[in-house]
Amino acid sequence: MVKMLLTRYIKRRQLLAKNAFSQRYLVIDLELTGLDSKQHEIVSVAWVVIDNQCIKMSESQHFINKDVKSLEQSPVFHGISTDSVAQGKSLQSILMSLSAHFSDCILVFHNAMLDWGFLKLALKNAGVTQRPKLIIDTLQIEKKRLLQHASDIKLDDLTLNECRNRYDLPSYHCHHALTDAQATAELLLAQCHQIGAGKELTLRALV
């Protein structure tokens, strides 16, 4: 057990020392029926790949969970109907497709506490034991940056749209997992270039 923990620690240290600009990232967004992972459901999962600072939309994916029991307000907020759900994929198959990227990609979320919280529980319930090598949260990156200049941060200051505004990125107003994944990918690249300021940037600066 000690040897395994030590190996993980060394691997993480080695990874954190690597150049952030040359990594492959999987930027993920979920559509959910609510905020509690124990009683609400994943409606859809989308991801976008960043490879060597290039957003690869050709490798993007968006899956709707056909196992969802109740859409709640999803038709209103996300435009997902019962017909869309019927044509979706099982959550098990979605999770298998997602976890296949864990070994070669660093996972990225905007608010990892929420989305990864849902995914971690879903992966556990599905019997998927593979775990990502690193998780980066653009919300936490922005929170750290804001705290360097101000002590008071309002909740709205950390929304995806507000974070993007600080980097003069265009506003995306539709609530769609794939659009939000792309928006988060663009935000991550903007944050990296701002933090790096033309110098080498290690992954340690992003976690």
Side-chain angles (χ1 to χ4, degrees), residues 6-33:
L6 183 60
T7 301
R8 284 182 183 174
Y9 172 74
I10 293 171
K11 282 185 176 180
R12 181 178 170 84
R13 283 198 63 178
Q14 291 172 337
L15 180 60
L16 291 177
K18 290 187 177 181
N19 189 328
F21 291 117
S22 61
Q23 302 304 310
R24 184 173 171 87
Y25 301 93
L26 196 73
V27 188
I28 304 167
D29 189 79
L30 308 183
E31 291 168 8
L32 307 165
T33 60

Side-chain angles (χ1 to χ4, degrees), residues 51-176:
D51 197 4
N52 282 306
Q53 304 182 64
C54 181
I55 297 175
K56 305 276 191 178
M57 289 307 294
S58 60
E59 297 182 43
S60 64
Q61 294 286 353
H62 179 230
F63 297 111
I64 295 175
N65 173 20
K66 74 173 185 179
D67 300 327
V68 67
K69 297 179 181 67
S70 173
L71 284 175
E72 302 286 342
Q73 293 297 306
S74 292
V76 177
F77 293 116
H78 309 304
I80 294 178
S81 65
T82 52
D83 288 342
S84 300
V85 170
Q87 296 172 30
K89 299 189 70 172
S90 69
L91 185 57
Q92 175 86 28
S93 66
I94 295 170
L95 295 173
M96 293 301 291
S97 296
L98 176 64
S99 62
H101 295 280
F102 285 0
S103 61
D104 69 333
C105 289
I106 294 166
L107 303 195
V108 180
F109 300 91
H110 189 79
N111 193 358
M113 185 177 292
L114 178 64
D115 284 1
W116 178 243
F118 269 85
L119 282 175
K120 187 163 61 172
L121 182 59
L123 287 162
K124 180 182 177 181
N125 291 338
V128 179
T129 57
Q130 192 171 2
R131 288 294 177 265
K133 54 185 180 179
L134 188 66
I135 293 175
I136 288 174
D137 189 344
T138 52
L139 184 151
Q140 291 301 322
I141 293 172
E142 198 64 17
K143 183 178 180 180
K144 287 179 185 177
R145 285 176 54 76
L146 288 176
L147 286 173
Q148 292 173 357
H149 305 289
S151 58
D152 184 32
I153 301 176
K154 296 186 286 293
L155 191 62
D156 289 348
D157 291 338
L158 295 174
T159 65
L160 180 55
N161 204 47
E162 281 302 309
C163 291
R164 286 174 58 85
N165 285 341
R166 293 188 197 94
Y167 299 90
D168 295 322
L169 294 168
S171 297
Y172 292 144
H173 294 295
C174 64
H175 292 279
H176 187 283

